[in-house]
Amino acid sequence: MATAARQTSIAPNDLEAYWMGFTANRAFKKAPRLIARAKDMHYFTTDGRKLIDGTAGLWCCNAGHNREPIVEAIQRQAAELDYAPAFQCAHPQAFELANRISALAPADLDHVFFCNSGSEAVDTALKVALAYHAVRGEAARTRLIGRERGYHGVGFGGISVGGIVANRKLFGTLLAGVDHLPATYDRANQAFTKGEPEYGAHFADELERIVALHDASTIAAVIVEPMAGSTGVLPAPKGYLQRLRAICDKYGILLILDEVITGFGRLGFPFAAERYGVVPDIMTFAKGVTSGTVPMGGVVVRKPVYDAFMRGPEHVVELFHGYTYSAHPLACAAGLATLDLYRREKLFERAYQLEAKFADAAMSLKGLPTVLDIRTVGLTAGIDLASQPDGVGKRAYAAMERAFHDQEIMIRVTGETIALTPPLIVSETEIGEIFDKVGKVIRAVA
Ligand SMILES: Cc1ncc(COP(=O)(O)O)c(C=O)c1O
């Protein structure tokens, strides 16, 4: 009887049950933005409208949507091997993908630890940094240094080193012993810059102040994004990352670059580390590794970091860390096919070549009402709008709604900033279309 009752009681398919992350749930559910399918540069809504994707999903679909080689690789893998234990066991594609990623990464960043998201990658990186010092006999190095306005996902480690107040303020005391560098943004000296601003390398020198306060012997690592993305597109000032690297070297502090957004071509290189000629000790990745098709993240470490753990009896686990779905077969298949596609279509080079056109198109919106600043780097642009008198974020939110419902374009907004990060397959005509539509949106909400 109970079974029969269950079979007939079909759940209502309304919007209520799903509590959406980083979403204004009540406003969304009044005017939903529902996507049914996607292809290349476009999304298609459930009511059949075609939207150009100005955001590569969430900065992740770098190869464009539903690309056949990736779809087919995932389908083949699903039919072949659904899952293999990730601890004390593995499958060949995991090694193949690790080799491919380490070949793309600069210098001796040559060992890859897999996980399933950017947040897990960040927590993995922080744990590896702490454990690295401990296994080398410097266990007092426990402090982690992040940056104001930094975004490193939503794990407790990530929000502790992150610097976006709304992501932190409701969640208790967070990790102890964390300090923050200042953000690198100063509108008065940087407004409307294409690429890396001339002004601001000195913000890295604040690390000297932090070292003087806490002593280097207590500091494990510094973590920054090469370009702060989620806070509103803040490219690193010229020379900033190099200076940070030099200060870390001076004091034996590990440098972690969080490349979750900047990895896999966003800034015209496999990793931003290469663009800036800076080799971090640890680098995170996620998003673009599978072009957003299957969740995957990871951490790449330099050889000395890996080697530091490879001691003691050989039957003993060297790092007590890992995830059930680390190097999941579907993610590995998607990753391998994605990297093949990036190489075959030279998509990183394409991003590099399109950067100047993209920046010019973005700057064409300078002078529109309410536009306070525009920043660009690689295939990324941030456009700051002036807040309405009745609430911060209202204008940008209205812009997102107008974009989706009226202008047939997917944009991302954070605070009062519009962020544009299209798939790397975007054409010059589509770049024009994106900024034309965004211009109309900005005028409409002015
Ligand atoms: C720099 C950076 N780190 C970490 C993350 C977290 O990634 P995920 O949402 O996959 O956990 C993000 C997400 O946007 C990010 O931009």
Side-chain angles (χ1 to χ4, degrees), residues 33-115:
R33 295 174 288 280
L34 291 179
I35 306 293
R37 63 188 179 89
K39 186 68 195 135
D40 301 331
M41 275 299 297
H42 292 93
Y43 278 120
F44 298 85
T45 64
T46 47
D47 55 354
R49 292 181 309 118
K50 181 179 177 187
L51 272 65
I52 189 160
D53 181 9
T55 58
L58 271 181
W59 320 67
C60 49
C61 307
N62 291 0
H65 295 279
N66 284 68
R67 302 295 312 274
E68 275 88 12
I70 306 175
V71 172
E72 284 161 14
I74 296 168
Q75 286 171 336
R76 269 197 311 275
Q77 187 63 50
E80 187 74 19
L81 173 68
D82 53 354
Y83 177 76
F87 309 155
Q88 308 283 19
C89 196
H91 59 96
Q93 286 79 5
F95 297 96
E96 201 181 334
L97 185 59
N99 281 309
R100 294 280 297 277
I101 291 169
S102 70
L104 272 183
D108 60 347
L109 282 152
D110 58 6
H111 284 83
V112 182
F113 196 104
F114 286 112
C115 52

Side-chain angles (χ1 to χ4, degrees), residues 25-346:
N25 276 257
R26 288 158 304 156
F28 178 93
K29 288 167 188 180
K30 279 187 191 143
R33 295 174 288 280
L34 291 179
I35 306 293
R37 63 188 179 89
K39 186 68 195 135
D40 301 331
M41 275 299 297
H42 292 93
Y43 278 120
F44 298 85
T45 64
T46 47
D47 55 354
R49 292 181 309 118
K50 181 179 177 187
L51 272 65
I52 189 160
D53 181 9
T55 58
L58 271 181
W59 320 67
C60 49
C61 307
N62 291 0
H65 295 279
N66 284 68
R67 302 295 312 274
E68 275 88 12
I70 306 175
V71 172
E72 284 161 14
I74 296 168
Q75 286 171 336
R76 269 197 311 275
Q77 187 63 50
E80 187 74 19
L81 173 68
D82 53 354
Y83 177 76
F87 309 155
Q88 308 283 19
C89 196
H91 59 96
Q93 286 79 5
F95 297 96
E96 201 181 334
L97 185 59
N99 281 309
R100 294 280 297 277
I101 291 169
S102 70
L104 272 183
D108 60 347
L109 282 152
D110 58 6
H111 284 83
V112 182
F113 196 104
F114 286 112
C115 52
N116 310 288
S117 68
S119 299
E120 288 181 358
V122 166
D123 278 13
T124 300
L126 298 177
K127 286 176 73 176
V128 166
L130 293 171
Y132 165 78
H133 290 297
V135 296
R136 289 169 54 258
E138 287 197 80
R141 286 191 182 263
T142 56
R143 289 187 189 280
L144 300 166
I145 312 299
R147 191 167 62 187
E148 291 164 4
R149 296 193 68 173
Y151 184 68
H152 300 291
V154 294
F156 271 103
I159 61 172
S160 300
V161 292
I164 298 180
V165 64
N167 294 348
R168 297 161 49 89
K169 67 182 180 185
L170 298 183
F171 306 114
T173 52
L174 311 182
L175 285 188
V178 170
D179 211 338
H180 288 78
L181 290 160
T184 60
Y185 183 57
D186 178 346
R187 186 177 292 157
N189 288 293
Q190 297 170 344
F192 298 102
T193 301
K194 292 180 192 166
E196 293 76 10
E198 296 289 339
Y199 179 88
H202 66 278
F203 288 120
D205 296 338
E206 285 293 306
L207 185 55
E208 290 277 9
R209 184 187 59 76
I210 290 173
V211 169
L213 176 66
H214 299 296
D215 198 77
S217 66
T218 71
I219 302 177
V222 169
I223 179 167
V224 293
E225 304 155 85
M227 166 203 65
S230 295
T231 192
V233 184
L234 310 179
K238 280 193 185 135
Y240 173 87
L241 290 168
Q242 292 86 336
R243 239 195 247 195
L244 216 48
R245 177 70 274 183
I247 302 171
C248 285
D249 284 345
K250 186 169 151 192
Y251 295 111
I253 299 168
L254 295 179
L255 178 63
I256 305 171
L257 287 187
D258 184 350
E259 295 243 18
V260 164
I261 276 179
T262 50
F264 304 102
R266 181 53 53 198
L267 300 195
F269 290 84
F271 294 98
E274 195 175 325
R275 179 174 172 122
Y276 297 111
V278 168
V279 182
D281 301 291
I282 303 177
M283 191 167 76
T284 62
F285 66 87
K287 298 194 187 258
V289 64
T290 61
S291 195
T293 55
V294 181
M296 174 171 251
V299 162
V300 195
V301 305
R302 293 179 79 167
K303 185 171 166 40
V305 174
Y306 178 77
D307 287 347
F309 290 90
M310 298 303 128
R311 51 172 88 179
E314 288 204 1
H315 71 286
V316 174
V317 168
E318 295 102 356
L319 180 66
F320 282 82
H321 180 71
Y323 302 90
T324 298
Y325 300 120
S326 286
H328 191 281
L330 292 192
C332 290
L336 287 166
T338 301
L339 297 192
D340 283 343
L341 196 55
Y342 288 149
R343 189 173 50 182
R344 210 165 41 247
E345 298 188 352
K346 296 188 168 47

